[in-house]
Amino acid sequence: MSFDQTDKQLLQIIQSNFPVTQRPYEAIGKQLGISEQEVLDRIKRLQQTGIIRRLGGLFDSRKIGYTGTLSALRVPEADVDRVSQIINSYPGVTHNYLRNHHYNMWFTLLAQSEQQINSILNEIKQKTGLEDLLNLPAINIFKVRVNFNLSEVRHAD
Amino acid sequence: MLTELEKQIVRELQKGLPLVSRPYLDIARRIGLTENELMNKINEMISNGIIRRFGAAVRHQKLGYTANAMVVWDVPEDRVETTGRQLAGFPEVTHCYQRPRRPGWPYTLFTVIHGHTREQCEQLAAAMAAKIGLTNYMLLFSTTELKKSSMQYFID
C-alpha cells in the first residue's frame, strides 16, 4: 500500500477546512504542487485503501437536533455474535466495539429524542435478554476533536 | 432546529463530496440551488457549528496508530470540571467526556487516546495520571470493531 509524503500532506490539508470554492481539488493541488487530477486520483486511492473513511461534513449531532449516548453490556462469550447483530441492526448505532472488561460490548447510539434513545435501549435489553446495560450519556464535553493531527502528536517514549 | 433545506444539504453532504472538478455544482444541482447559494450555506453551517468539521474522516489504524484506548477516570464530583479540562489539554486525547456514575461503575471522565501500541497508550495514561494526580483509572482497549459507520441523519 503506497503511502508517500505527499499523501500525508494531502491528508493533513483535507482533514479539516476543506476548501469551499468552485474548484477545491485544484486549490489543494496548488498547495501541494500537483495537478487537480493527481489530487483526485490520490484521494480516490486513499478512499479505496480505507485510509479516508468519508470526505464531507462531520455534523454536530446535538446542533442538528439529535441526542446520543454511550452504552455498555455484559455479554457472555457465546452470545457475542447474536447480541452484536441485534445492536448493529439499529441505524442509530454508529460504533460498536468489544473491549477487555466484563462490560465487554460498548456501542454509541444516536436518535432524535431521549424517548427514542430509551425505547431503543429497552428494546435491545428485551431482544438480547440482557438486563445489565450501562447507559452513560455525555453530561459535559471537554473535547471532541476527531481531527487527528499527525504532526502534533508527541509520544511518551 | 434545521430548516428543510439544511436537512437536504446534510443528506447530500453525508453521501460524500463527489470527486469531480466542481463538486459543489454537482450537489447544488441535486438540491435545486446555485453553486454559490450552496457554498454560502455550507460556510454558514460551518460557522454556526452545525458542520463541526468539513473534510476527510481518516481511519487512524491504517496509519500505524493501531492502538486506541478508552481511559476511564474515577474523579470526585468537585474535581471533575477542572480535571476534564486538564485531560482535554493533552494532544494525544481526541475525546474527553464527563458521564454519570452508575452502581458498580464509578468512572466519571472518559478520554480516548491514540498510540502506536498498547504499551504506548498505557505509558501515556500513566504520564497523564501522574501529572494530574489521579490514581483510580483504567484503560479499556477495543479488541474487536463490530461496527464503525458514519451516522446517516434525516433518513428515516
Side-chain angles (χ1 to χ4, degrees):
Chain A
M1 194 218 26
S2 69
F3 179 76
D4 60 19
Q5 204 46 34
T6 306
D7 283 326
K8 191 174 176 187
Q9 284 166 350
L10 172 60
L11 279 179
Q12 202 57 51
I13 290 173
I14 64 173
Q15 258 193 115
S16 49
N17 311 318
F18 189 89
V20 184
T21 56
Q22 280 196 352
R23 297 183 67 156
Y25 303 108
E26 184 188 53
I28 291 163
K30 284 203 176 90
Q31 289 184 49
L32 294 170
I34 58 177
S35 70
E36 178 185 60
Q37 191 51 51
E38 189 177 340
V39 171
L40 291 165
D41 296 341
R42 283 178 181 271
I43 290 177
K44 192 173 204 175
R45 187 168 41 75
L46 289 168
Q47 286 178 330
Q48 280 160 351
T49 54
I51 290 181
I52 292 180
R53 273 195 303 118
R54 194 173 30 78
L55 180 60
L58 187 71
F59 302 100
D60 184 317
S61 51
R62 284 172 187 243
K63 283 212 165 98
I64 58 178
Y66 277 67
T67 184
T69 193
L70 173 69
S71 291
L73 273 166
R74 296 164 80 120
V75 184
E77 192 59 39
D79 296 328
V80 164
D81 288 342
R82 179 179 64 84
V83 171
S84 163
Q85 262 158 26
I86 291 170
I87 289 174
N88 291 355
S89 71
Y90 290 90
V93 170
T94 51
H95 295 73
N96 188 12
Y97 287 92
L98 287 182
R99 290 191 184 273
N100 56 329
H101 190 267
H102 54 267
Y103 283 112
N104 51 346
M105 195 174 291
W106 290 75
F107 60 93
T108 57
L109 172 62
L110 280 172
Q112 297 197 48
S113 68
E114 286 295 329
Q115 293 76 16
Q116 244 183 16
I117 294 274
N118 293 329
S119 73
I120 291 171
L121 291 181
N122 287 331
E123 227 178 78
I124 285 175
K125 280 194 223 173
Q126 247 173 357
K127 287 185 186 168
T128 59
L130 297 170
E131 271 310 312
D132 195 346
L133 179 144
L134 281 179
N135 179 17
L136 303 166
I139 303 172
N140 216 334
I141 299 175
F142 294 104
K143 186 183 233 180
V144 55
R145 185 177 61 81
V146 183
N147 179 5
F148 195 64
N149 193 325
L150 305 176
S151 54
E152 192 188 89
V153 171
R154 298 187 321 278
H155 293 298
D157 44 18
Chain B
M1 267 317 289
L2 262 59
T3 63
E4 197 38 48
L5 173 64
E6 284 166 337
K7 286 183 183 174
Q8 255 189 313
I9 292 174
V10 169
R11 282 192 199 99
E12 289 306 324
L13 280 182
Q14 67 191 5
K15 293 176 187 164
L17 279 176
L19 294 181
V20 296
S21 255
R22 293 172 68 173
Y24 302 110
L25 181 61
D26 191 72
I27 294 175
R29 281 204 185 107
R30 296 185 222 154
I31 305 176
L33 292 177
T34 67
E35 188 181 37
N36 261 342
E37 280 165 347
L38 176 66
M39 289 195 294
N40 291 336
K41 231 11 222 173
I42 289 174
N43 281 324
E44 187 192 300
M45 290 164 81
I46 289 171
S47 58
N48 65 26
I50 286 176
I51 294 176
R52 195 153 44 80
R53 196 165 51 75
F54 194 62
V58 173
R59 182 176 279 276
H60 313 312
Q61 292 82 352
K62 292 275 180 178
L63 296 171
Y65 292 91
T66 48
N68 88 65
M70 184 164 75
V71 190
V72 291
W73 310 82
D74 176 0
V75 177
E77 224 52 51
D78 56 357
R79 281 189 58 192
V80 83
E81 191 77 27
T82 44
T83 309
R85 269 198 290 280
Q86 284 175 301
L87 289 171
F90 289 88
E92 294 85 347
V93 168
T94 53
H95 297 264
C96 183
Y97 293 101
Q98 177 190 348
R99 298 182 187 278
R101 271 204 173 99
R102 297 297 188 211
W105 183 262
Y107 304 100
T108 47
L109 283 174
F110 285 60
T111 53
V112 176
I113 61 175
H114 297 260
H116 288 285
T117 62
R118 282 193 178 189
E119 294 66 34
Q120 210 172 51
C121 289
E122 278 152 1
Q123 284 164 5
L124 180 58
M128 287 160 57
K131 203 160 179 207
I132 299 178
L134 295 169
T135 48
N136 191 359
Y137 67 94
M138 181 169 57
L139 281 87
L140 296 173
F141 289 103
S142 52
T143 55
T144 311
E145 181 183 286
L146 300 169
K147 183 174 185 179
K148 182 162 187 178
S149 60
S150 306
M151 180 63 183
Q152 295 295 307
Y153 294 100
F154 309 119
I155 297 299
D156 42 22

